Amino acid sequence: MRCVRVWFKKMGMSRYVSHLDLMRAMTRAVRRAEIPLWYTEGFNPHPYITFALPLSLGMESLYESMDMRIEGESTNEDIFNMLKGSMPPGIEIVSVENPFNDPKEITYGEFDIFFDCERKTDSVLALIEEMLSADELIVQKLGKKGRHKVMKDINLIDFIKSYRVGSLENRVKLTVILPAGSTTNVNPSLLADEIQKRAEEKLSYTIVRKKLLLENMELFR
Amino acid sequence: MMISKEVEKILPLVQKPGKYTGGELNSIVKDKNGVDLRYAFCFPDSYEIGMSHLGIKILYSAANERNDVWCERVFAPWHDMEKAMRENGIPLYALESGDPLTDFDLIGFTLQYELSYTNVLNMLDLAGIPVRAKDRPDLTPIIVGGGPCVCNPEPMADFFDIFSLGDGEEVSDELFDLIIACKKEGTTKKEFLKRAAQIKGIYVPSLYDISYNDDGTVKAITPKETAPVKVTKRVVANLDKVHYPEKFIVPFVEVVHDRVVHEILRGCIRGCRFCQAGFIYRPIREKSADTINTQCQKLCHSTGYDEISLSSLSTSDYTHLEELMEKLLEWTEKEKVNIALPSLRVDNFSDKLMGYLSRVRRSGLTFAPEAGTQRLRDAINKNVTEEEMLSTARKSFSGGWTAVKLYFMLGLPTETYDDVAGIAELAQKVVNEFYNNPDKPKGKGVQVSISVASFVPKPFTPFQWEAQDTIDELIKKQNHLLSSVKTKKISVSYHKVNISFLEGVMARGDRKLCDVIETAWKKGCKFDSWDDSFLFETWLESFEECGVDPLFYTSRKRDYEEILPWDHLDYGIRKQFLISESKKAYENETTPHCRIKCAGCGSNMINGGECDAMRQSMV
């Protein structure tokens, strides 16, 4: 038995597949591919498949990974070739590797937020620059207080590790690095929603998770 | 799939957007310019319910086998999605192409239960299509209905252009050919309907005049022009030769039955007198174990599912069940595929079958005695004895099961309060059986769950003439049952009686109900089978406004001589047979099942005299 890490992209319509639904869809994909899975040895044997970090519903990603335990002598390339034709629509397999980091080490995520503007992008660019260069950008986040869920005010500026903003035709692209992982997590939609709220024109946006990073800003591999 | 920017904008606002995007594994996308007929197959309920339905999988796959037809799926959007669609002016669209229903030539609805009727109207309206057939003068789209409810489609007669009676697999092809020909010739809708009425199994409601007596009963059903006096349902002769999909669409969103389903037989040999399915799907036809085994394996491989459900009205009546289980277990154990056997009977639950069941993953055991006393079980022809039930319970407890679910009905014809109390007594005997069993699982208690439905008399059953218990009567019986249960080891759950009441009205209704359904829908009724969405008061208002008394349909015992609203539809079951079964019920007299002795229901006659039960009884 050994563990492999399968890297894949989740783009287009598959962004509407929730994390739970993705787990079931990928388990079925692995079964269709006839991967020699290792099964747990309990009363109710099941395959051992885990995902590094859940992706929010509606978000696309270029950098998703799934760990699974396999039996037999298959190489990573064999597994890749088996999986290639079995992925559900919208999921594209990128590579199969040996796991290097523990998913617990994931600290940051790098995201692209694309805003589609109906009019000129200048005012949106200016708005984002203004919001992100201020000392405070307070938004409400659903947090926990003991066992209860409450709305908490947080200052997004404290959490933004770095950002870049630019535009192409009627699209504004905001690239931002935010905490992501098991300890602190800030959903980039909090930022996108706030920009949407403050914009003069009606903006729609999409978010792509591009990378997962460790505490020292190296890539999670 | 190619959903529009407008739809993409509303998807983040709704629950489970994956229900509205299409693009699932094995869904079929064709070039719309390369086909002659576009067919929208609609299930008038939520995605999770519709995607669990086997019929849609079979007919979707069969239609798409043709190069000149593209069949797509449509489901009723849930309340939140409907609201967002209406607010943004988005018409109802099909999941494969994202095109609005108005782009389609044929729109089919499967009518699986009476309480989905308002959803049909709502879906048509959401697509911008007039709900009444007379307000749709153009040839296309043609609206067709199918499924078990079309054995009495009269309450929906004003909304549909045509109905398809019986098995849909073969008649669909003939219908497609006719529509393609009519489109090419540029015929009128009237001409199309005239020709459609000539296809066996196709019922064109607008070609029949219904007149009524002063008391509201049907006086006469008169065919117009060349429409046949009786429309006979279609039957697939051989299940081994009929199309069965090699691929199922695999939804991302979890649906109710998320597994491979295989229909191992159609029809039923039992003839339980309350059961509509047991009569309208006759004659019994079995699939061979080899066919089922091969098809199951292909389906598991194309979907990645890890569970197979062997489906039928009575799975343990399948003659080759042991052979089939052996064949399946050969590969399913290795591939970690679980086999589920729903609809088992207590009287032929063998030790060997028990052995097979314990080799696959253990789920709960469910049995359906239907009635609490032997007398009532005889009256409804359930043909199960108490001893058989207890012996099966004993076997299951020895096999390690500790939870048993028992299905019953309240409000059956001839039922007394003693019969109601008998349900609790029978459940208590099952509990006692557990504690008297030396082999019982150590250190565990037993849980017997009783689930009680309200009996609704249905067309084409021996009880089609019966009065249905009133809401008050059913509530009294429910309370009597609750007070008869003396232990916490027995839990009782039951259906909402208001919903059963409306189901009863629709099941044996006539065309006067069309106005009521339209009124109720306009007042906001939809998803009526969902407890949270069901608006009983609004329904009562709608009956009142239309001057229709619902009790006329439910509480009235009919004479055998009365012309019933569905008398011009022929499901193969002779009326004389139903009358004799109805009389036997009052004598508490049973009818042996079809393999012991042919009861002469007549259904084999529409299958060229063939019936698998007759063949097997001669061996």
Side-chain angles (χ1 to χ4, degrees):
Chain A
M1 187 262 285
R2 70 187 185 99
C3 192
V4 290
R5 184 160 290 169
V6 180
W7 292 95
F8 61 93
K9 296 178 186 172
K10 186 168 177 267
M11 300 293 285
M13 280 300 131
S14 66
R15 71 177 179 278
Y16 295 112
V17 178
S18 71
H19 181 65
L20 228 77
D21 291 340
L22 180 73
M23 294 202 293
R24 294 183 310 111
M26 291 299 271
T27 307
R28 290 192 292 252
V30 169
R31 291 181 57 91
R32 285 194 298 275
E34 296 179 36
I35 304 285
L37 281 174
W38 176 84
Y39 279 81
T40 58
E41 278 153 10
F43 180 68
N44 187 4
H46 58 273
Y48 191 91
I49 297 178
T50 60
F51 292 77
L53 189 68
L55 186 69
S56 297
L57 187 65
M59 235 181 249
E60 297 181 303
S61 176
L62 298 169
Y63 204 73
E64 290 301 291
S65 75
M66 165 180 85
D67 292 356
M68 60 184 187
R69 292 186 186 168
I70 58 165
E71 300 254 43
E73 306 296 312
S74 320
T75 64
N76 291 348
E77 205 189 332
D78 294 338
I79 300 289
F80 176 83
N81 287 327
M82 290 163 100
L83 280 174
K84 204 169 48 180
S86 297
M87 286 292 118
I91 308 287
E92 187 195 330
I93 176 159
V94 178
S95 66
V96 176
E97 313 279 350
N98 294 332
F100 187 78
N101 302 106
D102 188 315
K104 285 194 199 103
E105 297 175 60
I106 298 170
T107 319
Y108 298 104
E110 185 178 314
F111 303 90
D112 280 344
I113 309 175
F114 295 96
F115 293 96
D116 282 316
C117 313
E118 276 162 11
R119 284 174 282 150
K120 276 197 178 162
T121 55
D122 303 6
S123 61
V124 179
L125 277 172
L127 172 72
I128 295 175
E129 282 292 0
E130 186 200 316
M131 285 169 69
L132 296 185
S133 53
D135 292 336
E136 260 191 2
L137 180 57
I138 305 292
V139 297
Q140 288 212 307
K141 179 184 193 284
L142 195 66
K144 277 186 206 146
K145 191 179 177 186
R147 274 185 297 161
H148 301 281
K149 285 196 169 168
V150 287
M151 294 306 282
K152 277 185 187 170
D153 282 345
I154 63 160
N155 181 4
L156 277 180
I157 302 297
D158 293 345
F159 293 100
I160 297 173
K161 189 81 180 163
S162 69
Y163 75 93
R164 259 189 337 269
V165 64
S167 71
L168 187 72
E169 289 169 5
N170 61 343
R171 275 197 133 185
V172 171
K173 178 168 120 179
L174 168 61
T175 304
V176 59
I177 294 179
L178 284 164
S182 42
T183 44
T184 322
N185 217 340
V186 176
N187 193 318
S189 66
L190 292 173
L191 176 58
D193 286 341
E194 192 60 23
I195 294 170
Q196 202 180 33
K197 210 162 79 189
R198 295 198 192 181
E200 281 166 16
E201 60 163 307
K202 230 179 148 186
L203 287 181
S204 59
Y205 68 80
T206 54
I207 303 177
V208 183
R209 184 154 86 183
K210 282 195 336 191
K211 289 171 191 166
L212 292 173
L213 305 163
L214 311 175
E215 201 178 358
N216 60 8
M217 299 308 261
E218 276 181 19
L219 261 183
F220 165 71
R221 288 185 293 137
Chain B
M1 112 146 177
M2 316 125 214
I3 59 170
S4 62
K5 277 256 173 258
E6 284 69 35
V7 174
E8 278 209 49
K9 273 182 196 157
I10 62 171
L11 285 179
L13 310 173
V14 301
Q15 294 269 312
K16 299 191 192 168
K19 300 194 282 187
Y20 309 111
T21 58
E24 306 94 327
L25 180 79
N26 297 334
S27 60
I28 296 169
V29 174
K30 295 186 180 182
D31 173 10
K32 64 180 169 189
N33 299 313
V35 297
D36 297 325
L37 184 133
R38 296 191 67 186
Y39 177 22
F41 197 120
C42 307
F43 195 100
D45 210 319
S46 71
Y47 179 91
E48 293 94 324
I49 305 282
M51 282 302 291
S52 305
H53 180 241
L54 178 59
I56 191 171
K57 296 178 207 280
I58 296 176
L59 295 173
Y60 174 85
S61 157
N64 280 317
E65 283 284 290
R66 289 176 62 136
N67 290 327
D68 54 351
V69 174
W70 183 13
C71 176
E72 307 184 35
R73 295 160 300 143
V74 186
F75 302 95
W78 193 243
H79 302 294
D80 57 347
M81 181 63 175
E82 184 194 337
K83 187 162 168 276
M85 287 169 77
R86 288 196 190 269
E87 280 169 5
N88 292 278
I90 299 167
L92 185 62
Y93 57 90
L95 287 181
E96 277 74 4
S97 64
D99 290 337
L101 286 194
T102 37
D103 287 4
F104 287 75
D105 302 303
L106 179 63
I107 299 174
F109 284 92
T110 175
L111 303 179
Q112 293 293 315
Y113 29 87
E114 294 82 358
L115 296 167
S116 63
Y117 289 173
T118 49
N119 276 6
V120 174
L121 274 61
N122 201 41
M123 287 169 79
L124 287 173
D125 182 66
L126 197 47
I129 297 171
V131 297
R132 289 201 176 248
K134 68 169 170 52
D135 299 328
R136 300 188 299 258
D138 297 339
L139 175 64
T140 61
I142 293 155
I143 317 289
V144 58
C149 287
V150 304
C151 74
N152 176 28
E154 295 305 282
M156 292 295 277
D158 290 354
F159 311 116
F160 281 86
D161 298 309
I162 52 179
F163 292 107
S164 166
L165 276 51
D167 299 336
E169 286 104 328
E170 286 168 2
V171 69
S172 300
D173 261 334
E174 292 165 38
L175 188 60
F176 299 154
D177 288 339
L178 178 66
I179 297 170
I180 292 170
C182 285
K183 270 178 72 184
K184 280 188 182 143
E185 291 170 36
T187 59
T188 60
K189 182 170 176 183
K190 210 173 158 220
E191 172 63 20
F192 161 77
L193 292 176
K194 213 172 113 185
R195 289 197 214 170
Q198 302 304 314
I199 299 177
K200 193 184 164 194
I202 296 290
Y203 166 45
V204 183
S206 58
L207 293 184
Y208 294 79
D209 274 332
I210 316 290
S211 58
Y212 298 95
N213 296 308
D214 291 342
D215 64 1
T217 55
V218 175
K219 187 175 181 188
I221 302 168
T222 321
K224 290 192 278 196
E225 300 174 36
T226 49
V229 177
K230 281 221 170 207
V231 186
T232 308
K233 77 155 179 173
R234 285 294 282 265
V235 181
V236 166
N238 187 331
L239 285 192
D240 278 324
K241 291 193 181 129
V242 75
H243 176 84
Y244 203 80
E246 291 188 356
K247 291 175 175 177
F248 281 178
I249 294 176
V250 184
F252 282 110
V253 172
E254 188 164 18
V255 299
V256 181
H257 296 297
D258 219 356
R259 57 183 78 101
V260 166
V261 183
H262 208 98
E263 184 192 27
I264 61 175
L265 62 91
R266 208 173 280 187
C268 185
I269 59 170
R270 297 287 166 173
C272 303
R273 292 178 181 132
F274 56 85
C275 177
Q276 185 182 44
F279 292 103
I280 63 169
Y281 292 118
R282 286 185 177 201
I284 192 159
R285 287 146 293 158
E286 292 197 337
K287 221 174 207 180
S288 75
D290 274 328
T291 311
I292 299 168
N293 182 45
T294 324
Q295 289 174 342
C296 280
Q297 195 162 15
K298 275 185 189 156
L299 276 168
C300 280
H301 291 169
S302 69
T303 58
Y305 277 131
D306 60 1
E307 187 171 48
I308 301 169
S309 173
L310 299 178
S311 151
S312 75
L313 292 170
S314 178
T315 297
S316 43
D317 282 335
Y318 177 61
T319 36
H320 315 291
L321 190 56
E322 288 182 2
E323 179 196 343
L324 174 63
M325 288 300 285
E326 260 164 45
K327 284 190 157 94
L328 286 171
L329 285 168
E330 244 171 63
W331 58 273
T332 54
E333 280 190 311
K334 208 166 52 216
E335 298 183 15
K336 305 270 192 305
V337 172
N338 180 38
I339 302 169
L341 292 173
S343 309
L344 292 180
R345 282 181 64 91
V346 291
D347 54 347
N348 56 4
F349 192 85
S350 67
D351 290 324
K352 209 164 172 190
L353 188 56
M354 179 63 111
Y356 287 135
L357 279 182
S358 8
R359 278 165 70 184
V360 299
R361 197 162 55 197
R362 185 161 301 171
S363 54
L365 273 182
T366 304
F367 297 106
E370 309 292 2
T373 59
Q374 195 59 47
R375 188 209 57 81
L376 189 53
R377 279 196 298 275
D378 288 346
I380 63 173
N381 202 37
K382 185 64 194 181
N383 279 328
V384 166
T385 66
E386 185 172 298
E387 180 39 42
E388 281 167 337
M389 233 163 329
L390 296 178
S391 115
T392 299
R394 203 151 46 227
K395 273 184 215 163
S396 348
F397 296 144
S398 302
W401 273 269
T402 58
V404 177
K405 205 175 197 178
L406 301 174
Y407 282 164
F408 292 97
M409 266 189 284
L410 277 185
L412 287 162
T414 78
E415 182 179 64
T416 65
Y417 277 72
D418 288 343
D419 294 316
V420 175
I423 294 175
E425 286 159 26
L426 181 59
Q428 184 62 51
K429 281 179 192 160
V430 173
V431 171
N432 296 347
E433 204 59 55
F434 179 83
Y435 288 105
N436 295 337
N437 189 346
D439 297 336
K440 69 171 179 280
K442 299 273 177 297
K444 283 185 181 166
V446 65
Q447 187 60 48
V448 176
S449 319
I450 305 178
S451 176
V452 195
S454 313
F455 169 67
V456 177
K458 294 276 168 109
F460 295 105
T461 66
F463 291 155
Q464 64 177 354
W465 295 279
E466 296 295 330
Q468 183 177 345
D469 268 359
T470 60
I471 290 175
D472 288 346
E473 187 63 26
L474 283 170
I475 291 174
K476 269 193 220 157
K477 286 183 177 172
Q478 286 181 349
N479 289 335
H480 187 65
L481 171 61
L482 284 178
S483 64
S484 308
V485 173
K486 310 282 186 216
T487 160
K488 285 211 170 88
K489 309 239 175 275
I490 302 172
S491 65
V492 184
S493 65
Y494 40 79
H495 287 194
K496 263 199 173 175
V497 287
N498 290 349
I499 292 187
S500 306
F501 173 73
L502 185 65
E503 185 186 334
V505 176
M506 296 300 160
R508 293 185 295 168
D510 54 28
R511 291 191 184 182
K512 285 174 275 183
L513 292 176
C514 296
D515 288 344
V516 182
I517 293 171
E518 190 178 2
T519 306
W521 160 67
K522 279 190 176 150
K523 286 170 174 283
C525 290
K526 57 196 164 196
F527 287 106
D528 295 308
S529 58
W530 297 72
D531 280 1
D532 295 345
S533 307
F534 184 59
L535 305 172
F536 189 53
E537 292 303 320
T538 312
W539 271 104
L540 292 182
E541 276 168 38
S542 310
F543 280 109
E544 179 106 37
E545 263 175 46
C546 298
V548 172
D549 177 12
L551 295 174
F552 171 78
Y553 301 98
T554 53
S555 294
R556 192 171 56 87
K557 187 161 167 116
R558 289 122 169 108
D559 290 332
Y560 292 137
E561 290 75 35
E562 181 177 326
I563 297 175
L564 301 169
W566 53 92
D567 269 355
H568 54 313
L569 307 180
D570 178 8
Y571 271 69
I573 308 291
R574 291 184 306 116
K575 202 172 195 176
Q576 208 48 51
F577 165 77
L578 293 177
I579 292 173
S580 108
E581 282 294 295
S582 156
K583 288 178 177 162
K584 282 167 91 175
Y586 282 89
E587 307 293 322
N588 302 327
E589 197 185 317
T590 60
T591 300
H593 71 68
C594 304
R595 286 197 192 117
I596 297 175
K597 186 171 178 284
C598 174
C601 70
S603 68
N604 60 320
M605 295 318 289
I606 53 173
N607 192 30
E610 285 288 320
C611 171
D612 280 359
M614 284 161 79
R615 211 169 49 219
Q616 286 145 5
S617 66
M618 283 186 293
V619 190

